[in-house]
Amino acid sequence: MYQGFYNLASGMLTQTRNLNVISNNMVNVQTPGYKRDKMVSTTFQEEMLYRTGMRYKENAQPLAATSKIKTADRTYVNYEQGGYDQTEGILDFALTDKGFFCIDTPEGVRYTRNGSFYVDDEGYLALNNSGRVLGIDGPIAIDTEDFQVDSQGVIYVPASTSGGEDGEVEEVEERVLGALRVVDFEDYDQLHKEDYGLFSTAQAAQEVENPSLLWKSLEESNVDMVEEMTSMMSSQRALQSAAQVLKMYDQIMSKAATEVGRL
């Protein structure tokens, strides 16, 4: 009887945590570069069951191992590539292969797949609520909107010609504003997921020599809304069932302490 309380209560807590993970995935379905989470549960503190006699307790026979508690093991991040959305925004970038953009935050360098950038008050390329985007040579200053970006993330102002005050044609040489720094890691399991789609890690970042990017596009999140809705309904039903059975257990224990006691 008492084992049922452990089973049901731990199951409710686990399903509640799973619902939180699923809800976070659903909220970020439109967040560029978001990677979905999946919680995995496990058993806790397994015990061996023994069979003994009614009167004599010697020579107990082992039956099987059991666990009274179910708990969350860990949350895994799915790093699969998402689709692409052509936004036509000149400050939108999408990685088409492995790798991460580098962001200079107050807590140090963080990494992200979110390429929805903007230009801050001082004219530097930045990620909202995070920090400045790092290029190969440091933060990238954007002083014009007439720039181009190649497939490897080099931001440049193309060469052009213009008429001078004296009527002569002036040629303006090509000017490079910066190149987006893209890095990758050997072990994604060592990446720690933070707020705003950022990742941190203690392992050394490896420079991606020839990154592959799409300009004026964003990588979509890899959240499958149908799958998340199905998982949410399954988890909700498991939570409701455990709550109903736990209520029955409480009623039975109440009767055992009041009505049966009087007999």
Side-chain angles (χ1 to χ4, degrees):
M1 177 65 72
Y2 290 105
Q3 180 174 340
F5 282 103
Y6 287 106
N7 292 336
L8 295 168
S10 63
M12 291 175 63
L13 293 174
T14 303
Q15 294 300 335
T16 299
R17 293 188 61 179
N18 189 40
L19 284 172
N20 291 336
V21 173
I22 295 173
S23 299
N24 187 60
N25 288 336
M26 296 175 67
V27 168
N28 288 281
V29 68
Q30 298 294 333
T31 302
Y34 178 81
K35 302 304 178 185
R36 68 183 293 265
D37 295 324
K38 183 176 180 61
M39 193 198 77
V40 178
S41 60
T42 184
T43 56
F44 176 76
Q45 195 174 356
E46 293 189 350
E47 298 177 352
M48 181 66 72
L49 294 179
Y50 292 89
R51 179 175 63 187
T52 61
M54 295 292 293
R55 296 179 58 187
Y56 303 101
K57 307 299 181 181
E58 296 83 5
N59 300 322
Q61 299 295 321
L63 294 178
T66 185
S67 175
K68 298 180 180 180
I69 295 178
K70 180 180 180 181
T71 185
D73 183 15
R74 59 170 296 183
T75 300
Y76 291 90
V77 181
N78 184 342
Y79 291 98
E80 290 183 358
Q81 183 82 38
Y84 299 104
D85 179 22
Q86 294 182 354
T87 64
E88 298 303 324
I90 63 173
L91 298 177
D92 291 340
F93 306 85
L95 292 170
T96 60
D97 203 351
K98 291 184 177 180
F100 298 84
F101 297 113
C102 300
I103 310 298
D104 186 16
T105 72
E107 292 76 25
V109 179
R110 296 295 184 264
Y111 310 95
T112 184
R113 296 281 297 188
N114 185 357
S116 179
F117 302 143
Y118 76 103
V119 177
D120 64 15
D121 296 337
E122 298 181 4
Y124 288 93
L125 197 64
L127 179 65
N128 193 28
N129 297 321
S130 301
R132 290 176 177 173
V133 180
L134 291 177
I136 296 177
D137 298 322
I140 301 175
I142 304 294
D143 56 8
T144 178
E145 295 183 355
D146 299 325
F147 61 82
Q148 300 288 325
V149 182
D150 65 16
S151 60
Q152 294 185 349
V154 178
I155 305 173
Y156 64 95
V157 179
S160 62
T161 58
S162 62
E165 296 179 356
D166 54 0
E168 295 183 359
V169 177
E170 294 183 357
E171 295 186 359
V172 179
E173 296 182 354
E174 178 179 300
R175 181 165 57 96
V176 176
L177 302 180
L180 292 170
R181 183 189 178 199
V182 180
V183 300
D184 201 9
F185 303 94
E186 290 185 358
D187 187 6
Y188 281 13
D189 288 338
Q190 295 185 34
L191 296 178
H192 174 66
K193 198 172 188 179
E194 299 183 0
D195 295 334
Y196 306 113
L198 299 178
F199 294 89
S200 62
T201 182
Q203 60 185 318
Q206 301 177 347
E207 302 290 337
V208 178
E209 295 182 359
N210 296 307
S212 179
L213 292 91
L214 284 178
W215 184 39
K216 298 182 179 181
S217 299
L218 290 175
E219 180 186 0
E220 299 175 342
S221 70
N222 62 356
V223 176
D224 186 338
M225 183 59 78
V226 175
E227 182 179 349
E228 297 301 322
M229 287 292 294
T230 303
S231 299
M232 173 170 282
M233 289 187 291
S234 177
S235 187
Q236 284 179 334
R237 289 173 181 173
L239 178 61
Q240 292 170 356
S241 298
Q244 291 174 355
V245 177
L246 190 61
K247 184 177 180 180
M248 293 172 57
Y249 266 64
D250 184 64
Q251 292 174 348
I252 293 173
M253 292 298 294
S254 178
K255 289 184 178 181
T258 57
E259 298 179 11
V260 178
R262 290 199 297 267
L263 298 177

